[in-house]
Amino acid sequence: MSPLPGVVPWPPELAERWRALGYWRGETFGSMLRERAAEHPERPALVAPAGGPIQDTGTTPVGSSATGAADARWTYGELDERADRIAAGLRALGIRRRDRVVVQLGNESAFVETVFALFRIGALPVFALPPHRRTEIASFVAQAEAVAYVVGGPVPGFDPRELAAEIQAEHPTLRHVIVAGDATAPAGARHPFVALDDLRAHPRPYSAIVDTPHDRGGWAPTPDEVAFLQLSGGSTGVPKLIPRTHDEYLYTLRRSAELCGLTPASVYLAALPVAHNYPLSSPGIMGAFYAGARAVLAPSPDADTALGLVARERVTITGVVPPVALVWLDAVAGGTVEHDLSSLEVLQVGGAKFSAEAARRVRPTLGCTLQQVFGMAEGLVNYTRLDADEETIVTTQGRPMAAHDELRVLDEDDAPVALGESGALLTRGPYTIQGYYRAEEHNARAFTPDGWYRTGDLVRLTPRGDLVVEGRDKDQINRGGEKIAAEEVENHLLAHPAVHDAAVVAMPDPYLGERTCAFVVLRDGVDPPRPVELRRFVRGRGLADFKVPDRVELVDAFPRTNVGKVSKKDLRLLAASRAQAPA
Ligand code: OOB
């Protein structure tokens, strides 16, 4: 089958190489789950709260949900059966192989059965995150020409069904809205919504349908096809979409499971939203399924909820971002939560730089091994090895997972730096993408002609080949692991009638690592809005809350470089000097 239009395909000789070297083994997500279910149908696969998407449920006791329903506990056989029914239901709706479907679900069982159903029919989930709002979802639907949008139930202050109706009115490609919950469409919606429950009730499982000669070959994706679209953290106006194939992604699951020590007896806790690459696949819930282990979905990463689940489910491994790790460390050290953490063998920390100082506290406080993870949705993932010496574990961000991952550390002129010096990281290898989806112009900048991806990270290599992340040369803020493209927020500020120019930079924060500071130059002669009004304005444009500037500073003019560009370096220094002052 020809590649999906808009996807930069793997050059055939490279694809051949990765197969010959055993990286790509011709597996697909659909076949992987089917095989596990055949091998051990009765083994527990998933534990998930029955309630809605991730939200601040600090007061909701573990084991119950807002609706009072019991937690979902599914075996591999049950998960496979559910995915198969939903797959049949999706097909009956007319959703086809290669169709794109935006999925915005939190840490709930519906996420797992829905994405496996989509994988099975060869439709591509586009993994939106729970905090995304109108501008992001509209952009994903438009970029992917999505035919369906899958949402959960309402959370305080946000009813995704309202948003879905709004988006559907503006995007004619979006034929279906599927709701994991009450599927009543708001008054005035263009089409009736579909309940996931109704899809699940399909009378014939998908595998019974596709096993007819008529369907064979046409309905199961092949391993070299794109399985889904992830979101890039990005540094441009809107997040780019990242195509990942079954072949390459299943390799990352297999290798991650190995490097993270997963066995069938392991229990992985997803404390972060599972739509993100890290809790999805490093090793994440998918790595856990690959290994035949059990995945547990936490409704919230707060210390009491997540650590309560560690104790109750005898969790052996979980992965978090640095701010969450800090909260857990403080909660345990301070005795504010007292759960039995004796089952926990590995705490992964990644997504943003974890300070060596905090890293040193992990083993004595939590009694487990720290594993640092430096990864990216575009591909390359580095792990500290579980058997590395403590100093390597606390002071480096690990090394690539594949023997054939190639790294280059370059100076500003694209010349290699001396070993041990800091420079821009470029990479290529058996699971790093060849290009963003439908983004030719951007790809020309983000990739070199010989296929190296410019990560935008500044790193140095230790003499032993481990990576230390030193900073970034991309115009992005890493707010405790959540990536914010400066340009995206600047564009929202520029839409305000009083704003002449805007520049968004990172300011240091002891807890999140970085927060956002927006510097704004107003138009002459306008009635100056207060900073809080500008923040409210940005929020009102309908975007993820984490992108609303933490601080807005009005200035007369921006500092400039000697070639006349806005000096973000000077603005960062200015932001740092003001970070102490009240917002
Ligand atoms: C993960 O993926 P993304 O796509 O949200 O963000 C990737 C970027 C990296 O380029 C780097 O700038 C930053 O996040 N990053 C780190 C880091 N891990 C990621 N910066 C410093 N130290 C670290 N340990 O964030 C991601 C994907 C898979 C696994 C883990 C994280």
Side-chain angles (χ1 to χ4, degrees):
M1 214 178 186
S2 58
L4 185 69
V7 171
V8 185
W10 282 91
E13 63 283 5
L14 268 184
E16 218 22 74
R17 180 160 189 242
W18 304 137
R19 283 191 196 102
L21 287 166
Y23 286 103
W24 299 1
R25 296 198 180 159
E27 296 167 294
T28 63
F29 278 97
S31 63
M32 184 266 277
L33 178 61
R34 174 55 47 88
E35 279 165 27
R36 300 297 176 277
E39 286 159 15
H40 41 72
E42 300 304 327
R43 199 187 281 171
L46 182 75
V47 180
I54 210 162
Q55 50 183 298
D56 193 12
T57 51
T59 53
T60 307
V62 164
S64 68
S65 74
T67 56
D71 292 349
R73 287 183 175 273
W74 300 344
T75 63
Y76 277 87
E78 285 165 339
L79 173 57
D80 185 56
E81 161 79 14
R82 281 172 172 268
D84 222 44
R85 295 273 169 184
I86 296 174
L90 291 169
R91 180 194 150 128
L93 274 187
I95 296 177
R96 314 262 155 211
R97 183 173 176 186
R98 292 183 167 210
D99 280 347
R100 277 79 61 198
V101 174
V102 174
V103 177
Q104 188 182 29
L105 293 170
N107 287 10
E108 51 195 311
S109 54
F111 176 93
V112 183
E113 53 182 348
T114 303
V115 303
F116 271 112
L118 290 166
F119 290 149
R120 192 154 281 177
I121 66 172
L124 281 54
V126 180
F127 288 120
L129 295 173
H132 285 140
R133 293 295 178 263
R134 182 164 31 83
T135 60
E136 289 103 349
I137 302 294
S139 144
F140 307 150
V141 168
Q143 286 187 72
E145 294 180 278
V147 302
Y149 175 29
V150 186
V151 299
V155 294
F158 175 56
D159 186 341
R161 294 168 304 182
E162 303 276 344
L163 175 60
E166 222 178 289
I167 305 248
Q168 201 175 31
E170 290 159 13
H171 297 267
T173 63
L174 197 68
R175 296 197 306 269
H176 306 289
V177 173
I178 299 167
V179 189
D182 175 1
T184 313
R190 229 173 57 185
H191 303 291
F193 291 179
V194 180
L196 190 65
D197 280 343
D198 291 339
L199 296 183
R200 207 185 284 119
H202 201 273
R204 288 176 71 203
Y206 182 72
S207 44
I209 301 169
V210 293
D211 265 358
T212 63
H214 171 70
D215 276 312
R216 198 169 293 142
W219 277 91
T222 54
D224 57 343
E225 277 183 73
V226 175
F228 57 82
L229 297 166
Q230 272 282 6
L231 308 181
S232 78
S235 54
T236 58
V238 286
K240 296 270 176 295
L241 302 181
I242 299 174
R244 304 289 306 258
T245 68
H246 291 271
D247 260 334
E248 74 196 36
Y249 214 68
L250 280 146
Y251 162 70
T252 72
L253 302 184
R254 186 168 73 243
R255 182 62 173 151
S256 296
E258 188 180 328
L259 290 175
C260 304
L262 295 191
T263 70
S266 299
V267 183
Y268 175 86
L269 178 78
L272 302 174
V274 279
H276 190 277
N277 197 56
Y278 171 26
L280 192 67
S281 69
S282 299
I285 60 168
M286 292 294 174
F289 298 139
Y290 194 94
R294 179 155 37 117
V296 179
L297 305 184
S300 156
D302 81 78
D304 199 32
T305 305
L307 298 179
L309 279 167
V310 169
R312 194 189 78 182
E313 300 296 329
R314 304 297 294 161
V315 167
T316 60
I317 173 168
T318 184
V320 295
V321 287
V324 173
L326 291 174
V327 168
W328 289 7
L329 286 168
D330 287 347
V332 172
T336 50
V337 300
E338 286 182 3
H339 293 291
D340 172 10
L341 305 181
S342 58
S343 60
L344 194 64
E345 293 162 10
V346 178
L347 176 72
Q348 301 180 294
V349 181
K353 178 84 180 251
F354 195 38
S355 75
E357 188 192 15
R360 272 184 222 289
R361 294 171 58 200
V362 171
R363 189 185 293 277
T365 310
L366 303 176
C368 65
T369 302
L370 168 68
Q371 180 173 54
Q372 297 212 42
V373 192
F374 164 40
M376 52 205 74
E378 287 82 354
L380 180 71
V381 179
N382 305 276
Y383 293 109
T384 54
R385 303 307 194 246
L386 298 179
D387 59 359
D389 60 278
E390 191 69 8
E391 204 52 25
T392 303
I393 289 176
V394 299
T395 60
T396 79
Q397 279 66 58
R399 53 177 68 188
M401 66 173 148
H404 289 83
D405 278 323
E406 293 181 88
L407 306 180
R408 270 188 184 165
V409 186
L410 303 181
D411 68 15
E412 281 169 7
D413 302 318
D414 268 3
V417 300
L419 185 65
E421 297 283 304
S422 169
L425 176 68
L426 281 72
T427 186
R428 60 182 190 184
Y431 60 95
T432 293
I433 57 161
Q434 300 287 307
Y436 293 98
Y437 181 59
R438 293 183 165 164
E440 221 173 304
E441 221 175 282
H442 182 69
N443 285 341
R445 289 193 300 276
F447 295 83
T448 69
D450 46 358
W452 292 84
Y453 167 58
R454 297 181 187 275
T455 66
D457 293 309
L458 298 175
V459 304
R460 72 181 159 81
L461 273 169
T462 69
R464 293 158 79 175
D466 293 300
L467 282 163
V468 178
V469 181
E470 296 278 0
R472 205 159 53 236
D473 67 355
K474 50 188 167 190
D475 202 2
Q476 187 186 75
I477 294 93
N478 188 336
R479 192 178 184 276
E482 311 219 71
K483 315 303 179 326
I484 301 163
E487 186 187 304
E488 188 180 350
V489 183
E490 289 161 4
N491 287 342
H492 286 295
L493 285 162
L494 285 167
H496 190 283
V499 173
H500 169 68
D501 208 351
V504 175
V505 296
M507 61 181 178
D509 181 81
Y511 166 67
L512 290 171
E514 296 175 6
R515 280 178 196 263
T516 50
C517 180
F519 288 94
V520 170
V521 178
L522 295 177
R523 289 184 196 281
D524 285 340
V526 294
D527 200 9
R530 284 181 304 140
V532 59
E533 288 168 43
L534 288 174
R535 296 183 64 228
R536 204 176 297 139
F537 173 79
V538 171
R539 180 171 287 118
R541 306 253 310 157
L543 76 170
D545 210 47
F546 65 81
K547 295 181 190 169
V548 176
D550 293 296
R551 188 179 183 96
V552 175
E553 292 274 339
L554 302 178
V555 290
D556 293 334
F558 294 144
R560 300 271 164 184
T561 64
N562 47 18
V563 294
K565 284 192 0 187
V566 174
S567 171
K568 288 222 162 166
K569 194 172 154 203
D570 287 332
L571 285 176
R572 275 192 291 273
L573 291 173
L574 192 58
S577 72
R578 300 201 179 171
Q580 310 305 327

